[in-house]
Amino acid sequence: MNYNGNVKSRLPNAGTSIFAVMSGLANEVGAINLSQGFPDFPISMELVDLVNHYMREGFNQYAPMPGVLALREAIAVKAFDTFGITYDPVSEINITAGATEAIFCVVTSMIHTGDEVIIIEPAYDSYAPAVELCGGVVRYSSLQFPDYAVNWPEVKSLINSHTKMIMINSPHNPTGSVLSAADMKELDHITRNSNIVVMSDEVYEHLIFDGIRHESVCYYPELASRSFVIGSFGKTFHTTGWKTGFIMAPAVLMTEVRKVHQFVVFASNTPIQHAVAQFLKNKENYLQLPGFYQQKRDMFTGLVHNSRFKIIPSYGTYFQLLDYSAISDEKEMDFAVRITKEFGVASVPVSPFYHDKQDHKVLRFCFAKTEETLVKAAEILCKI
Ligand SMILES: Cc1ncc(COP(=O)(O)O)c(C=O)c1O
């Protein structure tokens, strides 16, 4: 079909996401796919049965706009039990179509033309486009390579009278770094007595290792009082295809988010919300996650330990960065494509997570895979 009009793109620089590109290549050449972040093992049959149960019981029509109350209540209980914080399920919690919708609604509800948003890079790919669609201006600060620590003096120097939001993400995709208590205090300190809100992307809250505490903004009451906390059951219950997430925020902020959410999706999937509400009642369903994924991380790093790749420690998420500077000086994208085609293992270059495509010669590998997949992938990596 031919369209003959003029299209002035709202997102002129947006192309196909790097996850889709690398997964597409992996499929094309039959490579082991450690690129896109999704588990390749079965999910809980109990959870599947619960969804079936609620479908059969007739929970198939629109959910309430803010989400099924039982799920919002279960999230409030979990937040209180985990962080000791109280969110009102009626006015301060909202269910979304995945964290991606949550991010979009939070940004769209807060950012006006000319408002500045600080993004710490490398960053998840949906943050900047959401800001740009609102006419906002992104200010970038890079994590410091190779330990990916936040450069707080730099973040502070970016703050001015136009700064409206700071986005944080811990545990962090793509690096596997986590924010410490000292980081949170720094964030609290630099945003106190300001009009700056924090968008805290905590989708990997339960994927954290080595006994480290997940430093949610929820532990810091003053900070939480000007923060949006975003979570995703896709990550927590290995169900990325279900696209069910949530936002917690003070009522005044949530009121604004809901004005946007109602016109984006209005409500998200009803039977899944009921099922997740039920499933959350057994805390083990999420408390066992750090051990489960730590075992996978340790297995993967143990298997590639003697390769020529250098392991950059991963403290959370299901991603492991490997530094290939001892193998090649090719650009990340070129090297990632080459090892997918020539050796049959797909990963994701980290450079596309930077607006200026910084290239530190590191690739991201997803270890949310079966033992068999990880063993096969590691055998190949050891030959490169
Ligand atoms: C840091 C981060 N935020 C948000 C999301 C989106 O989560 P969802 O699949 O629930 O939309 C992802 C997914 O990969 C992510 O890594």
Side-chain angles (χ1 to χ4, degrees), residues 98-100 103 124 127 169 173 201 203-204 232 235 243:
T100 311
I103 293 162
Y124 187 61
Y127 298 170
N169 169 217
N173 176 13
D201 180 340
V203 298
Y204 298 102
S232 169
K235 312 293 176 190
K243 296 299 289 185

PDB file of all heavy atoms in Angstrom, residues 98-100 103 124 127 169 173 201 203-204 232 235 243, ligand 1:
ATOM      1  N   GLY A  98       2.043  -4.235  32.363  1.00  0.00           N
ATOM      2  CA  GLY A  98       3.503  -4.342  32.440  1.00  0.00           C
ATOM      3  C   GLY A  98       4.118  -3.062  32.973  1.00  0.00           C
ATOM      4  O   GLY A  98       3.456  -2.014  33.097  1.00  0.00           O
ATOM      5  N   ALA A  99       5.414  -3.157  33.301  1.00  0.00           N
ATOM      6  CA  ALA A  99       6.123  -1.973  33.791  1.00  0.00           C
ATOM      7  C   ALA A  99       6.267  -0.942  32.682  1.00  0.00           C
ATOM      8  O   ALA A  99       6.354   0.258  32.948  1.00  0.00           O
ATOM      9  CB  ALA A  99       7.491  -2.373  34.328  1.00  0.00           C
ATOM     10  N   THR A 100       6.274  -1.396  31.439  1.00  0.00           N
ATOM     11  CA  THR A 100       6.439  -0.458  30.322  1.00  0.00           C
ATOM     12  C   THR A 100       5.295   0.557  30.302  1.00  0.00           C
ATOM     13  O   THR A 100       5.519   1.753  30.128  1.00  0.00           O
ATOM     14  CB  THR A 100       6.499  -1.226  28.978  1.00  0.00           C
ATOM     15  OG1 THR A 100       7.430  -2.296  29.112  1.00  0.00           O
ATOM     16  CG2 THR A 100       6.936  -0.328  27.840  1.00  0.00           C
ATOM     17  N   ILE A 103       5.793   2.976  33.217  1.00  0.00           N
ATOM     18  CA  ILE A 103       6.800   4.018  32.936  1.00  0.00           C
ATOM     19  C   ILE A 103       6.176   5.119  32.073  1.00  0.00           C
ATOM     20  O   ILE A 103       6.293   6.311  32.359  1.00  0.00           O
ATOM     21  CB  ILE A 103       8.029   3.388  32.213  1.00  0.00           C
ATOM     22  CG1 ILE A 103       8.772   2.442  33.158  1.00  0.00           C
ATOM     23  CG2 ILE A 103       8.954   4.468  31.644  1.00  0.00           C
ATOM     24  CD1 ILE A 103       9.710   1.462  32.464  1.00  0.00           C
ATOM     25  N   TYR A 124      17.342   1.488  30.454  1.00  0.00           N
ATOM     26  CA  TYR A 124      16.288   0.742  29.772  1.00  0.00           C
ATOM     27  C   TYR A 124      15.733   1.598  28.630  1.00  0.00           C
ATOM     28  O   TYR A 124      15.553   2.808  28.778  1.00  0.00           O
ATOM     29  CB  TYR A 124      15.196   0.373  30.778  1.00  0.00           C
ATOM     30  CG  TYR A 124      14.157  -0.544  30.194  1.00  0.00           C
ATOM     31  CD1 TYR A 124      14.509  -1.795  29.707  1.00  0.00           C
ATOM     32  CD2 TYR A 124      12.832  -0.150  30.087  1.00  0.00           C
ATOM     33  CE1 TYR A 124      13.564  -2.630  29.147  1.00  0.00           C
ATOM     34  CE2 TYR A 124      11.882  -0.989  29.531  1.00  0.00           C
ATOM     35  CZ  TYR A 124      12.259  -2.219  29.056  1.00  0.00           C
ATOM     36  OH  TYR A 124      11.317  -3.036  28.496  1.00  0.00           O
ATOM     37  N   TYR A 127      12.726   4.604  28.582  1.00  0.00           N
ATOM     38  CA  TYR A 127      12.702   5.831  29.403  1.00  0.00           C
ATOM     39  C   TYR A 127      12.736   7.112  28.536  1.00  0.00           C
ATOM     40  O   TYR A 127      11.873   7.975  28.657  1.00  0.00           O
ATOM     41  CB  TYR A 127      13.896   5.889  30.365  1.00  0.00           C
ATOM     42  CG  TYR A 127      14.002   4.810  31.410  1.00  0.00           C
ATOM     43  CD1 TYR A 127      15.169   4.676  32.176  1.00  0.00           C
ATOM     44  CD2 TYR A 127      12.970   3.916  31.673  1.00  0.00           C
ATOM     45  CE1 TYR A 127      15.302   3.695  33.156  1.00  0.00           C
ATOM     46  CE2 TYR A 127      13.097   2.931  32.650  1.00  0.00           C
ATOM     47  CZ  TYR A 127      14.270   2.830  33.386  1.00  0.00           C
ATOM     48  OH  TYR A 127      14.399   1.861  34.346  1.00  0.00           O
ATOM     49  N   ASN A 169      17.013   2.805  38.575  1.00  0.00           N
ATOM     50  CA  ASN A 169      16.660   1.419  38.286  1.00  0.00           C
ATOM     51  C   ASN A 169      17.633   0.508  39.034  1.00  0.00           C
ATOM     52  O   ASN A 169      18.805   0.455  38.724  1.00  0.00           O
ATOM     53  CB  ASN A 169      16.754   1.195  36.753  1.00  0.00           C
ATOM     54  CG  ASN A 169      16.664  -0.271  36.354  1.00  0.00           C
ATOM     55  OD1 ASN A 169      17.340  -0.721  35.423  1.00  0.00           O
ATOM     56  ND2 ASN A 169      15.836  -1.032  37.024  1.00  0.00           N
ATOM     57  N   ASN A 173      19.169  -3.116  34.885  1.00  0.00           N
ATOM     58  CA  ASN A 173      19.285  -3.663  33.538  1.00  0.00           C
ATOM     59  C   ASN A 173      19.936  -2.590  32.674  1.00  0.00           C
ATOM     60  O   ASN A 173      19.433  -1.464  32.653  1.00  0.00           O
ATOM     61  CB  ASN A 173      17.886  -3.986  32.989  1.00  0.00           C
ATOM     62  CG  ASN A 173      17.908  -4.475  31.551  1.00  0.00           C
ATOM     63  OD1 ASN A 173      18.945  -4.812  31.016  1.00  0.00           O
ATOM     64  ND2 ASN A 173      16.733  -4.494  30.932  1.00  0.00           N
ATOM     65  N   ASP A 201      12.424   2.356  39.113  1.00  0.00           N
ATOM     66  CA  ASP A 201      12.083   1.142  38.372  1.00  0.00           C
ATOM     67  C   ASP A 201      12.674  -0.033  39.151  1.00  0.00           C
ATOM     68  O   ASP A 201      13.882  -0.260  39.141  1.00  0.00           O
ATOM     69  CB  ASP A 201      12.672   1.259  36.959  1.00  0.00           C
ATOM     70  CG  ASP A 201      12.386   0.047  36.101  1.00  0.00           C
ATOM     71  OD1 ASP A 201      12.082  -1.028  36.651  1.00  0.00           O
ATOM     72  OD2 ASP A 201      12.490   0.169  34.865  1.00  0.00           O
ATOM     73  N   VAL A 203      11.667  -3.345  38.890  1.00  0.00           N
ATOM     74  CA  VAL A 203      11.085  -4.578  38.345  1.00  0.00           C
ATOM     75  C   VAL A 203      11.878  -5.830  38.741  1.00  0.00           C
ATOM     76  O   VAL A 203      11.330  -6.923  38.773  1.00  0.00           O
ATOM     77  CB  VAL A 203      10.894  -4.531  36.806  1.00  0.00           C
ATOM     78  CG1 VAL A 203       9.932  -3.432  36.407  1.00  0.00           C
ATOM     79  CG2 VAL A 203      12.204  -4.419  36.061  1.00  0.00           C
ATOM     80  N   TYR A 204      13.173  -5.657  39.047  1.00  0.00           N
ATOM     81  CA  TYR A 204      13.980  -6.826  39.441  1.00  0.00           C
ATOM     82  C   TYR A 204      14.155  -6.899  40.963  1.00  0.00           C
ATOM     83  O   TYR A 204      15.135  -7.445  41.450  1.00  0.00           O
ATOM     84  CB  TYR A 204      15.349  -6.781  38.743  1.00  0.00           C
ATOM     85  CG  TYR A 204      15.250  -6.831  37.238  1.00  0.00           C
ATOM     86  CD1 TYR A 204      15.399  -5.673  36.463  1.00  0.00           C
ATOM     87  CD2 TYR A 204      14.964  -8.019  36.575  1.00  0.00           C
ATOM     88  CE1 TYR A 204      15.275  -5.709  35.086  1.00  0.00           C
ATOM     89  CE2 TYR A 204      14.839  -8.065  35.192  1.00  0.00           C
ATOM     90  CZ  TYR A 204      14.997  -6.912  34.456  1.00  0.00           C
ATOM     91  OH  TYR A 204      14.868  -6.943  33.088  1.00  0.00           O
ATOM     92  N   SER A 232       6.995  -5.358  38.310  1.00  0.00           N
ATOM     93  CA  SER A 232       6.504  -6.169  37.187  1.00  0.00           C
ATOM     94  C   SER A 232       6.374  -7.630  37.606  1.00  0.00           C
ATOM     95  O   SER A 232       7.361  -8.245  38.025  1.00  0.00           O
ATOM     96  CB  SER A 232       7.464  -6.074  36.009  1.00  0.00           C
ATOM     97  OG  SER A 232       7.143  -7.035  35.026  1.00  0.00           O
ATOM     98  N   LYS A 235       8.594 -10.203  35.607  1.00  0.00           N
ATOM     99  CA  LYS A 235       9.923 -10.578  36.096  1.00  0.00           C
ATOM    100  C   LYS A 235       9.798 -11.517  37.294  1.00  0.00           C
ATOM    101  O   LYS A 235      10.501 -12.506  37.406  1.00  0.00           O
ATOM    102  CB  LYS A 235      10.720  -9.343  36.534  1.00  0.00           C
ATOM    103  CG  LYS A 235      10.723  -8.201  35.541  1.00  0.00           C
ATOM    104  CD  LYS A 235      11.463  -8.551  34.286  1.00  0.00           C
ATOM    105  CE  LYS A 235      11.344  -7.419  33.284  1.00  0.00           C
ATOM    106  NZ  LYS A 235      11.830  -7.759  31.972  1.00  0.00           N
ATOM    107  N   LYS A 243       2.508  -9.362  30.728  1.00  0.00           N
ATOM    108  CA  LYS A 243       2.488  -7.891  30.795  1.00  0.00           C
ATOM    109  C   LYS A 243       1.595  -7.380  31.928  1.00  0.00           C
ATOM    110  O   LYS A 243       0.598  -6.696  31.701  1.00  0.00           O
ATOM    111  CB  LYS A 243       2.051  -7.307  29.446  1.00  0.00           C
ATOM    112  CG  LYS A 243       3.007  -7.586  28.292  1.00  0.00           C
ATOM    113  CD  LYS A 243       4.397  -7.028  28.472  1.00  0.00           C
ATOM    114  CE  LYS A 243       4.456  -5.525  28.364  1.00  0.00           C
ATOM    115  NZ  LYS A 243       5.852  -5.039  28.434  1.00  0.00           N
TER     116      LYS A 243
HETATM  117  C1  LIG B   1      14.528  -2.164  33.756  1.00  0.00           C
HETATM  118  C2  LIG B   1      13.248  -2.590  33.128  1.00  0.00           C
HETATM  119  N1  LIG B   1      12.157  -1.835  33.307  1.00  0.00           N
HETATM  120  C3  LIG B   1      10.984  -2.166  32.765  1.00  0.00           C
HETATM  121  C4  LIG B   1      10.843  -3.297  31.997  1.00  0.00           C
HETATM  122  C5  LIG B   1       9.511  -3.619  31.374  1.00  0.00           C
HETATM  123  O1  LIG B   1       8.824  -4.570  32.103  1.00  0.00           O
HETATM  124  P1  LIG B   1       7.470  -5.202  31.562  1.00  0.00           P
HETATM  125  O2  LIG B   1       7.839  -6.389  30.726  1.00  0.00           O
HETATM  126  O3  LIG B   1       6.699  -5.577  32.796  1.00  0.00           O
HETATM  127  O4  LIG B   1       6.780  -4.170  30.748  1.00  0.00           O
HETATM  128  C6  LIG B   1      11.956  -4.119  31.772  1.00  0.00           C
HETATM  129  C7  LIG B   1      11.846  -5.311  30.924  1.00  0.00           C
HETATM  130  O5  LIG B   1      12.822  -5.854  30.455  1.00  0.00           O
HETATM  131  C8  LIG B   1      13.188  -3.750  32.361  1.00  0.00           C
HETATM  132  O6  LIG B   1      14.293  -4.489  32.186  1.00  0.00           O
END
